[in-house]
Amino acid sequence: MEVILLERIEKLGQMGDTVSVKTGFARNYLLPQKKALRATKANQERFEGQRVQLEAANLQRRDEAQAVATKLDNLAVLVIRQAGEGGMLYGSVSGRDVADTIKEAGFTIERRQVNLDTPIKSLGSYPVRVSLHPEVAVTVVVTVARSQEEADRAAKSAQAAPVAEEEEELVEDEDQGDVEAEQAADDSEV
């Protein structure tokens, strides 16, 4: 089925593009959500008449999303769940859980804006993409832990790990220098 897009749709096209999509996708999603019109001559003329207004509305929504994105970018949220000894969750963390947690942090987003390919099923920190507008997306770090204390310990160890790696590199450099000095001394004795 041929449709005219009324807004940018990721992996499909830009506003005003005439694209061919499967009939079910058009009837069940694009047309009811008012994201597209059937590609007829009358609808093409109607779209051209409304194009300036649609582009202005899209620009305004994008600017609002950009403003929210600056506040939301690199937000870290904590989800507390029960888990077994191996770190596997009893259940999972879904996009709805992530959206609810972000709402608790003071931002208004919908569940469908959270792009979580598969549910989170183990403890740890995960980057999750949140689409605020078809052209604006941010990454939110979701930490899944058994308790607040466990999350604090994990955050401290994550901050300490880069420092420990730098110290190990310094020790290795010093050890390398000692080995080279010993080899030089051995060579001079021979």
Side-chain angles (χ1 to χ4, degrees):
M1 172 183 274
E2 295 282 321
V3 294
I4 303 166
L5 297 178
L6 298 178
E7 65 181 54
R8 180 183 180 275
I9 297 177
E10 196 170 335
K11 298 180 183 175
L12 193 57
Q14 300 291 331
M15 180 189 302
D17 289 352
T18 301
V19 295
S20 179
V21 296
K22 294 194 176 192
T23 306
F25 182 58
R27 286 186 182 157
N28 296 326
Y29 179 70
L30 294 174
L31 298 175
Q33 297 284 326
K34 306 224 185 300
K35 295 180 183 275
L37 295 171
R38 291 179 191 262
T40 63
K41 191 167 188 104
N43 282 341
Q44 183 69 32
E45 291 171 3
R46 180 176 153 205
F47 171 76
E48 291 301 329
Q50 295 178 341
R51 183 179 204 119
V52 174
Q53 295 153 345
L54 289 171
E55 287 178 353
N58 183 44
L59 185 62
Q60 181 181 3
R61 285 194 313 269
R62 188 180 75 202
D63 291 342
E64 291 170 359
Q66 198 72 353
V68 172
T70 57
K71 298 175 188 172
L72 189 63
D73 196 26
N74 293 325
L75 174 72
V77 294
L78 174 65
V79 177
I80 297 178
R81 292 285 189 266
Q82 292 182 352
E85 290 298 318
M88 296 301 290
L89 298 178
Y90 298 135
S92 64
V93 176
S94 66
R96 177 177 304 206
D97 298 324
V98 173
D100 291 343
T101 306
I102 293 172
K103 282 181 187 175
E104 290 171 8
F107 297 95
T108 304
I109 65 164
E110 296 178 23
R111 177 180 58 108
R112 62 186 167 92
Q113 292 176 305
V114 176
N115 299 331
L116 191 61
D117 295 332
T118 59
I120 298 170
K121 296 186 177 190
S122 61
L123 299 174
S125 293
Y126 301 90
V128 176
R129 186 170 178 261
V130 178
S131 297
L132 301 172
H133 182 270
E135 300 171 16
V136 179
V138 295
T139 301
V140 174
V141 177
V142 177
T143 302
V144 182
R146 291 184 188 106
S147 65
Q148 180 68 43
E149 295 81 28
E150 183 178 293
D152 293 339
R153 282 195 305 264
K156 286 180 184 176
S157 66
Q159 291 173 351
V163 173
E165 290 175 7
E166 290 174 9
E167 289 176 0
E168 287 178 15
E169 290 175 5
L170 290 175
V171 170
E172 289 175 6
D173 290 343
E174 290 174 4
D175 291 344
Q176 185 67 25
D178 293 342
V179 169
E180 291 174 357
E182 288 176 13
Q183 288 177 349
D186 290 341
D187 290 343
S188 64
E189 290 178 4
V190 175

